[in-house]
C-alpha cells in the first residue's frame, strides 16, 4: 500500500488483496493484472525521479491512448508529481502555451512529433523530453521504464496537495489550468464507485480519450477505486463495443456514442443482456436519444454533470427515477444551488440561474491565475460554474446552457436550450444549435443552425412557422441556417463560438 501518498493509497487499496485480478483487457487479447499495472507504475515513478521530478513538479503528456499513459499517470502520482495531460490534437503553438505556462520538468510526446515539439519544449525551458508511441509499444520513456526497478517508495502527499492540472478548452481568452488535489480526485472517484455501485466483478467498456476528466478521472479512477476491470479500447468503435457487451457490465460515453450505437443493426435486448448500466456525460443528451435507447435496449441512460474544475457534481440515480433532460441529483457530499448571475442571490426552485457547487470534489483554483480564481471560487468554497440551470421540486438539475451563451434580445433573456428543444422536435430535424448574433435593433438576434435528418428536407420559413406556435416572439429565430454537421470538440460538445464566428456578419 502507498499509505503516505493520499491518492495512490485510495486508488490501490481495493486491489491490494487481489493482485492477480485483471485491471485491463486489451484489444489484442492480452490482459494486465493489478500487480503488473502498479509494478509498471512504480517503474515509471523511478524514471521520473531519475529525471529530476520532485514533489509538486509537473509532468506534461501529449501521447496517444495506451496503457503506458495510465502507468505514467499513476507513476507521476507515486513520484509526488502533478500530471498534466494534453489533448492529442493540440498544435505546436498550443503546446507551447501549456508548457510555457505550466513549466513541467518532464514532457512526454509521440516519437513522430519529437522533431516539432523538442524546440517548443526547449523554448519553454523543459528539462527533459521523452516519448511514448501511440500504440504504447515503443519510445524513450519505455526504454527507461524497462531498465527501472520496482518497489518505489511513494512520495508523501496529503489530500490538499496537487495531483493534476487540466486545462480548460479556452474557447474565450487564455486556457485556464484547473488545479486538482489528491483529495478532490480521490473523493469523487470513491463517491462515484459507491453511487453507481461498482464492484470488483464489473467490467467497464472504456472507449474515451484519457486526456480529459471523463476518460481519466471518472472512468479510470472509479475502476481503480472499485478494484474492477475495463476493456481498454484505443478509440470508439461501434462493432467492438457491441461485441464486448456480451462480457461487459458498464459503458461510459458521450451522447455521440449512443447516437451511433442506436444506428447499429446488432443493438437489441439480447446484445445488452449482460449490461447493468449505461452512463453519459460531457455534453447534453437529446431526450429523443434517451427514449430511443430505452425502447431498443430496455435501459435508461444515467446522465450526469461534471466539469474540468469539479469532477462530477450530479447524477441521475442508480436506483430511483432517471429523468431524461436532467443531469440528476447532487452527488453525496456535493452541494448545488441556483443563484442570480448578477447578484449571487439564491433563487427559488424552478427559476433559471447560475449553477454553483461546493464540495470535496471542487478544484483548488486556476494555475497562476489568482484573479481569475477569486472571480469564480468564493472564499466559502462555492464555485461559480458559469452554467445556467434550474432545479425542480425533486432536486433534479437541468442545464439550460452556458452563461456566455445566454442571448439578450430586446432586453429579454433567451435560453438557447429551450429553443433547441422545440426545434429538435421537428420531424425533419436531427439536431440544432441556437446562438445569439449582434443586431442593430435587438442587441442580439436569435439564430438557429440546424442539421436535418438524413433524407429529410425543410426550409427556413417552415422552421420559423414551427417555432411561432410555441415560442414568444422574442425567442423566435430571426434566421435559420442548415449545415451538414455541427462543430464539436473531442468530447462531443458543440462549439458555439465557432458558429458565432461563422455567421457573425448575418445582420451587418
Amino acid at each position: 500500500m502507498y499509505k503516505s501518498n493520499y491518492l495512490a493509497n485510495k486508488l490501490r487499496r481495493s486491489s491490494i488483496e487481489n493482485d492477480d485480478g485483471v485491471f485491463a483487457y486489451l484489444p489484442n487479447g492480452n490482459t494486465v493484472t493489478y500487480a503488473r499495472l502498479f509494478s509498471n507504475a512504480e517503474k515509471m515513478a523511478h524514471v521520473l525521479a531519475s529525471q529530476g521530478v520532485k514533489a509538486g513538479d509537473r509532468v506534461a503528456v501529449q501521447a496517444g491512448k495506451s496503457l503506458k499513459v495510465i502507468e505514467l499517470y499513476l507513476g507521476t502520482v507515486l513520484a509526488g508529481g502533478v500530471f498534466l495531460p494534453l489533448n492529442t490534437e493540440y498544435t505546436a503553438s498550443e503546446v507551447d502555451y501549456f508548457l510555457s505556462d505550466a513549466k513541467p520538468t518532464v514532457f512526454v510526446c509521440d516519437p513522430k512529433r519529437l522533431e516539432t515539439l523538442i524546440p517548443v519544449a526547449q523554448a519553454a525551458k523543459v528539462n527533459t523530453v521523452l516519448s511514448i508511441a501511440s500504440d504504447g509499444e515503443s519510445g524513450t520513456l519505455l526504454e527507461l521504464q524497462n531498465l527501472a526497478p520496482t518497489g518505489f517508495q511513494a512520495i508523501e502527499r496529503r489530500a490538499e496537495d496537487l495531483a493534476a492540472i487540466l486545462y480548460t478548452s479556452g474557447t474565450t481568452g487564455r486556457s485556464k489550468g484547473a488545479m486538482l488535489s489528491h483529495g478532490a480526485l480521490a473523493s469523487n472517484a470513491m463517491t462515484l464507485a459507491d453511487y453507481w455501485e461498482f464492484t470488483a466483478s464489473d467490467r467497464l467498456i472504456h472507449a474515451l480519450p484519457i486526456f480529459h476528466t471523463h476518460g481519466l478521472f471518472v472512468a479510470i479512477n472509479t475502476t481503480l477505486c472499485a478494484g474492477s476491470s475495463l476493456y481498454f479500447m484505443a478509440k470508439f468503435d461501434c462493432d467492438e463495443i457491441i461485441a464486448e457487451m456480451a462480457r461487459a457490465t458498464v459503458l461510459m460515453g458521450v451522447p455521440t456514442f449512443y447516437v451511433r450505437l442506436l444506428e447499429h443493426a446488432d443493438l437489441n435486448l439480447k446484445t445488452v443482456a449482460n449490461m447493468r448500466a449505461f452512463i453519459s456525460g460531457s455534453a447534453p443528451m437529446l431526450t429523443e436519444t434517451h427514449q430511443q435507447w430505452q425502447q431498443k435496449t430496455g435501459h435508461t441512460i444515467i446522465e450526469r454533470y461534471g466539469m474540468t474544475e469539479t469532477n462530477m457534481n450530479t447524477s441521475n440515480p442508480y436506483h430511483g427515477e432517471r429523468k431524461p433532460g436532467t443531469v440528476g441529483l447532487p452527488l453525496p457530499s456535493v452541494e448545488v444551488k441556483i443563484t442570480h448571475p448578477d447578484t449571487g442571490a439564491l433563487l427559488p426552485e424552478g427559476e433559471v440561474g447560475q449553477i454553483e457547487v461546493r464540495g470535496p470534489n471542487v478544484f483548488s483554483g486556476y494555475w497562476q491565475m489568482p484573479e481569475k480564481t477569486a472571480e469564480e471560487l468564493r472564499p466559502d468554497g462555492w464555485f461559480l460554474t458559469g452554467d445556467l440551470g434550474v432545479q425542480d421540486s425533486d432536486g433534479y438539475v437541468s442545464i439550460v446552457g452556458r452563461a456566455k451563451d445566454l442571448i439578450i434580445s430586446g432586453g429579454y433573456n433567451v435560453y438557447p436550450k429551450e429553443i433547441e428543444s422545440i426545434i429538435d422536435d421537428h420531424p425533419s430535424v436531427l439536431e440544432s444549435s441556437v446562438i445569439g448574433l449582434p443586431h442593430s435593433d435587438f442587441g442580439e438576434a436569435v439564430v438557429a443552425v440546424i442539421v436535418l435528418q438524413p433524407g429529410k428536407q425543410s426550409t427556413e420559413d417552415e422552421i420559423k412557422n414551427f417555432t411561432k406556435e410555441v415560442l414568444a416572439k422574442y425567442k423566435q429565430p430571426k434566421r435559420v441556417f442548415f449545415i451538414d454537421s455541427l462543430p464539436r470538440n473531442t468530447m462531443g460538445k458543440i462549439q458555439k463560438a465557432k458558429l458565432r464566428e461563422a455567421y457573425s456578419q448575418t445582420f451587418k
Side-chain angles (χ1 to χ4, degrees):
M1 288 286 284
Y2 309 113
K3 292 183 179 179
S4 63
N5 187 293
Y6 191 88
L7 178 58
N9 178 52
K10 297 295 188 286
L11 297 180
R12 180 58 165 141
R13 66 180 186 177
S14 289
S15 60
I16 194 68
E17 302 295 335
N18 187 29
D19 268 353
D20 293 332
V22 174
F23 167 70
Y25 296 85
L26 305 181
N28 61 10
N30 293 335
T31 59
V32 176
T33 64
Y34 270 93
R36 180 181 162 196
L37 173 71
F38 280 97
S39 174
N40 285 341
E42 291 169 4
K43 290 185 174 186
M44 285 290 190
H46 273 293
V47 173
L48 294 175
S50 73
Q51 300 302 315
V53 173
K54 302 182 294 300
D57 287 349
R58 278 73 61 206
V59 176
V61 184
Q62 188 191 40
K65 183 180 180 180
S66 73
L67 206 64
K68 287 298 174 184
V69 176
I70 302 301
E71 293 171 4
L72 177 57
Y73 158 55
L74 294 173
T76 301
V77 173
L78 290 172
V82 178
F83 194 65
L84 173 56
L86 297 174
N87 191 320
T88 52
E89 295 186 6
Y90 284 146
T91 64
S93 62
E94 289 171 313
V95 171
D96 176 60
Y97 167 74
F98 299 121
L99 298 187
S100 299
D101 189 57
K103 295 179 172 55
T105 301
V106 172
F107 173 49
V108 181
C109 66
D110 191 293
K112 295 178 180 178
R113 300 200 68 195
L114 280 172
E115 186 176 350
T116 302
L117 294 178
I118 283 179
V120 172
Q122 289 175 337
K125 296 181 171 56
V126 177
N127 295 339
T128 304
V129 179
L130 299 171
S131 62
I132 296 178
S134 58
D135 59 4
E137 297 294 328
S138 61
T140 55
L141 177 59
L142 274 58
E143 293 169 8
L144 293 173
Q145 184 192 32
N146 290 334
L147 298 173
T150 56
F152 185 84
Q153 180 65 44
I155 300 301
E156 182 177 350
R157 295 277 84 188
R158 299 164 299 178
E160 62 267 28
D161 290 325
L162 289 190
I165 295 176
L166 262 63
Y167 278 88
T168 58
S169 56
T171 53
T172 58
R174 294 169 55 205
S175 292
K176 300 170 292 186
M179 300 186 291
L180 300 164
S181 70
H182 280 243
L185 295 181
S187 167
N188 212 232
M190 291 187 293
T191 294
L192 294 175
D194 181 61
Y195 197 75
W196 292 333
E197 299 195 2
F198 270 72
T199 69
S201 61
D202 272 309
R203 185 174 176 187
L204 169 72
I205 299 176
H206 193 300
L208 295 158
I210 53 174
F211 52 74
H212 186 272
T213 297
H214 194 169
L216 185 60
F217 298 142
V218 178
I220 298 296
N221 283 0
T222 299
T223 297
L224 290 169
C225 276
S228 52
S229 307
L230 51 81
Y231 178 60
F232 198 71
M233 296 175 57
K235 60 182 180 179
F236 176 81
D237 184 294
C238 274
D239 292 334
E240 280 191 62
I241 289 178
I242 292 291
E244 191 58 30
M245 283 183 185
R247 295 179 292 172
T249 59
V250 182
L251 171 64
M252 288 186 190
V254 297
T256 305
F257 282 18
Y258 295 99
V259 171
R260 292 180 182 175
L261 287 166
L262 281 167
E263 297 170 352
H264 200 287
D266 293 336
L267 181 70
N268 52 50
L269 291 171
K270 183 178 179 182
T271 306
V272 304
N274 199 57
M275 299 290 291
R276 70 171 184 85
F278 295 94
I279 301 168
S280 181
S282 294
M285 176 173 281
L286 296 175
T287 301
E288 179 185 5
T289 305
H290 271 285
Q291 294 170 343
Q292 290 176 347
W293 191 267
Q294 208 283 330
Q295 292 166 3
K296 203 162 188 179
T297 68
H299 285 267
T300 302
I301 294 169
I302 301 173
E303 193 167 9
R304 87 299 180 280
Y305 162 57
M307 300 181 69
T308 300
E309 293 93 340
T310 63
N311 300 290
M312 297 304 104
N313 300 311
T314 70
S315 173
N316 272 277
Y318 186 71
H319 296 292
E321 184 181 6
R322 301 173 191 171
K323 294 186 180 182
T326 80
V327 290
L329 303 162
L331 288 167
S333 78
V334 179
E335 298 175 84
V336 174
K337 64 180 180 179
I338 309 297
T339 61
H340 192 286
D342 297 325
T343 66
L346 186 66
L347 294 175
E349 69 179 41
E351 285 197 24
V352 172
Q354 179 167 207
I355 299 173
E356 295 189 30
V357 300
R358 182 170 67 177
N361 57 308
V362 174
F363 76 140
S364 305
Y366 293 114
W367 175 258
Q368 294 187 338
M369 288 186 174
E371 297 85 3
K372 196 65 180 173
T373 299
E375 287 176 15
E376 300 184 18
L377 188 59
R378 299 187 194 279
D380 59 0
W382 285 99
F383 173 59
L384 285 64
T385 66
D387 287 323
L388 296 172
V390 62
Q391 199 165 17
D392 68 17
S393 58
D394 296 321
Y396 286 73
V397 177
S398 298
I399 309 297
V400 175
R402 291 289 292 168
K404 63 182 175 61
D405 293 329
L406 173 68
I407 303 167
I408 303 178
S409 185
Y412 294 102
N413 287 353
V414 179
Y415 301 102
K417 182 71 174 177
E418 178 188 5
I419 305 168
E420 290 162 356
S421 298
I422 299 299
I423 294 174
D424 290 343
D425 284 339
H426 189 285
S428 295
V429 173
L430 177 63
E431 60 179 347
S432 65
S433 182
V434 170
I435 57 176
L437 296 178
H439 191 282
S440 58
D441 290 335
F442 302 106
E444 284 185 300
V446 177
V447 171
V449 185
I450 292 173
V451 178
L452 294 173
Q453 297 271 10
K456 298 286 188 178
Q457 292 183 333
S458 187
T459 65
E460 181 173 19
D461 286 342
E462 183 181 345
I463 297 298
K464 285 182 175 179
N465 289 331
F466 184 75
T467 64
K468 283 180 182 178
E469 300 175 11
V470 287
L471 291 173
K473 189 171 183 178
Y474 72 91
K475 298 179 184 179
Q476 296 167 18
K478 300 291 187 291
R479 288 297 310 273
V480 177
F481 296 99
F482 298 94
I483 57 176
D484 293 334
S485 62
L486 296 172
R488 282 184 158 84
N489 65 16
T490 53
M491 296 309 297
K493 291 183 180 179
I494 296 171
Q495 296 175 301
K496 293 200 174 191
K498 286 190 174 182
L499 291 176
R500 286 191 287 265
E501 182 180 352
Y503 298 102
S504 61
Q505 300 301 308
T506 299
F507 300 106
K508 296 294 179 68

